[in-house]
Amino acid sequence: MKAKVSGTKKKINGTTFLLMITILLFVVMYAAGMIVFNDKGFAKPQMFLNLFISNAGLLVIAMGETIVMITAGIDISVGSVTALVCMVAANQMENHGASAYTALLMALVIGLLFGLVQGFLVSYLEIQPFIVTLAGMFFGRGMTSIISTDMISIKNATFMAWAKYKIYMPFGSYSKRGKFLPAYIYPTVIIAIIVLIVMKYTKFGRSVYAIGGNEQSALMMGLNVKRTKMAAYLLDGFLAGLGGFLFCMNSCAGFVEQAKGLEMDAISAAVIGGTLLSGGVGTPFGTLFGVLIKGTISSLITTQGTLSSWWVRIVLSALLCFFIVLQSVFASLKKKN
């Protein structure tokens, strides 16, 4: 009985405790927004669903980021991959008559190619992930500008139908005139949730955790470390391509400066969600709440109306530092024990 209580306590003091802090932080922030900005509609169901609508692409990209970070790696090219995906999709549909299905396929291929090349360099040539993905970031942004330096707005009928299709919920709110307004989401949210569920229950994660926790131990267990790392970066690339396309469905355009800083948002969401920078620890569920916290900060500042949008970055960076310090404290305690 003592051993069981001790094991539970240890578990709560580690990964679970970090996740609990993240969830509690989100609940407190959103509850505060509902109280302070109740007169501006912050308490309406649609405001909550808007967090998912605005951040569906980021959520999918952050899922991939979480996987590579669990292996003790990192990918700072996802923002540039998103920009490249948006530009290629917009250019192909508007200037070359490609269909929306072709644009989606090209987005996934672009993501897989980035994952394949970067995964090979990291896993088989053992080059530092930061250097590899830094090169990928510059390459992606450069290729985006080569395709076009002007913004290309997407007007493809099929694509716009996808982007604007509303899925109505059985709940909602009432207008001042007493009219019932059902809440809604877009298909991007459904796709993001499906990705979250798949990532949560995949068996692939066991090998990733083992490698991130201790690579030498993973080798002794008979795990193929290089192949697993390669698979992690391939999955990361695929999700970056898919997430980039979902991001494009929100913006309905492609331009050079698009998704600038998105890689930092994805990394921040993963870290705030409990993913350790040293690897071996992290959950897709935690990353979800990391993304929701980022979205809540953005919504609070937008609803407030007078603060600069840069405050989103400022608050997010402060939270990131806070969670990194927490991770360091827990790592130190683990070593002592």
Side-chain angles (χ1 to χ4, degrees):
M1 184 69 179
K2 274 188 177 180
K4 186 176 181 180
V5 172
S6 176
T8 304
K9 187 177 179 181
K10 186 177 180 182
K11 187 177 180 181
I12 292 176
N13 286 340
T15 308
T16 308
F17 186 69
L18 285 172
L19 180 57
M20 287 169 62
I21 291 176
T22 302
I23 296 173
L24 180 63
L25 178 62
F26 167 69
V27 171
V28 169
M29 288 176 63
Y30 201 84
M34 291 173 68
I35 295 169
V36 176
F37 299 118
N38 182 50
D39 59 329
K40 295 184 178 181
F42 206 92
K44 292 181 178 179
Q46 187 59 54
M47 183 64 77
F48 178 73
L49 293 179
N50 285 343
L51 295 180
F52 291 88
I53 293 172
S54 302
N55 297 286
L58 174 61
L59 177 58
V60 172
I61 292 168
M63 290 294 114
E65 192 73 55
T66 300
I67 289 295
V68 296
M69 288 177 68
I70 290 173
T71 67
I74 200 166
D75 184 0
I76 60 172
S77 70
V78 291
S80 296
V81 171
T82 298
L84 181 58
V85 163
C86 293
M87 181 61 82
V88 168
N91 182 60
Q92 288 298 312
M93 284 188 286
E94 298 306 311
N95 297 333
H96 299 281
S99 68
Y101 297 98
T102 302
L104 173 58
L105 180 61
M106 292 181 73
L108 299 179
V109 169
I110 289 170
L112 282 171
L113 285 174
F114 268 83
L116 178 66
V117 174
Q118 293 180 160
F120 177 78
L121 294 175
V122 170
S123 58
Y124 288 95
L125 298 188
E126 298 182 354
I127 304 174
Q128 285 293 326
F130 181 84
I131 300 299
V132 170
T133 56
L134 178 66
M137 180 180 74
F138 290 143
F139 178 80
R141 195 66 66 174
M143 287 300 296
T144 304
S145 63
I146 285 176
I147 294 170
S148 177
T149 55
D150 299 321
M151 185 177 77
I152 303 175
S153 297
I154 300 174
K155 299 175 183 177
N156 180 279
T158 304
F159 182 88
M160 294 305 294
W162 291 351
K164 293 183 177 181
Y165 184 78
K166 292 181 179 179
I167 302 170
Y168 289 98
M169 302 288 106
F171 53 85
S173 58
Y174 288 90
S175 66
K176 292 180 180 180
R177 296 182 179 181
K179 183 180 179 181
F180 178 71
L181 302 173
Y184 61 86
I185 56 174
Y186 291 127
T188 53
V189 177
I190 301 296
I191 295 171
I193 291 173
I194 290 172
V195 170
L196 173 65
I197 294 171
V198 171
M199 295 293 291
K200 172 69 177 175
Y201 294 104
T202 180
K203 294 181 180 179
F204 168 70
R206 296 177 184 175
S207 300
V208 173
Y209 283 109
I211 291 169
N214 192 313
E215 194 169 308
Q216 293 302 317
S217 297
L219 281 169
M220 293 175 67
M221 288 166 59
L223 294 176
N224 191 323
V225 172
K226 291 183 178 180
R227 187 172 64 189
T228 304
K229 278 188 176 182
M230 182 71 184
Y233 278 91
L234 270 174
L235 180 58
D236 171 53
F238 175 81
L239 292 178
L242 177 60
F245 193 80
L246 299 185
F247 188 93
C248 188
M249 288 177 70
N250 267 356
S251 63
C252 295
F255 54 95
V256 175
E257 296 297 312
Q258 197 166 21
K260 200 169 185 180
L262 186 68
E263 60 279 347
M264 292 299 106
D265 290 338
I267 293 169
S268 298
V271 173
I272 292 172
T275 303
L276 295 185
L277 291 169
S278 56
V281 175
T283 63
F285 188 66
T287 299
L288 165 65
F289 279 93
V291 171
L292 291 178
I293 285 174
K294 183 265 177 187
T296 302
I297 294 169
S298 181
S299 294
L300 288 171
I301 291 172
T302 301
T303 306
Q304 197 276 336
T306 60
L307 292 174
S308 167
S309 59
W310 283 104
W311 276 100
V312 176
R313 300 290 182 191
I314 293 169
V315 176
L316 200 60
S317 63
L319 283 176
L320 182 61
C321 290
F322 171 71
F323 277 92
I324 288 173
V325 170
L326 273 183
Q327 289 183 6
S328 179
V329 169
F330 280 115
S332 299
L333 291 174
K334 187 177 179 180
K335 286 182 181 179
K336 287 180 181 179
N337 291 333

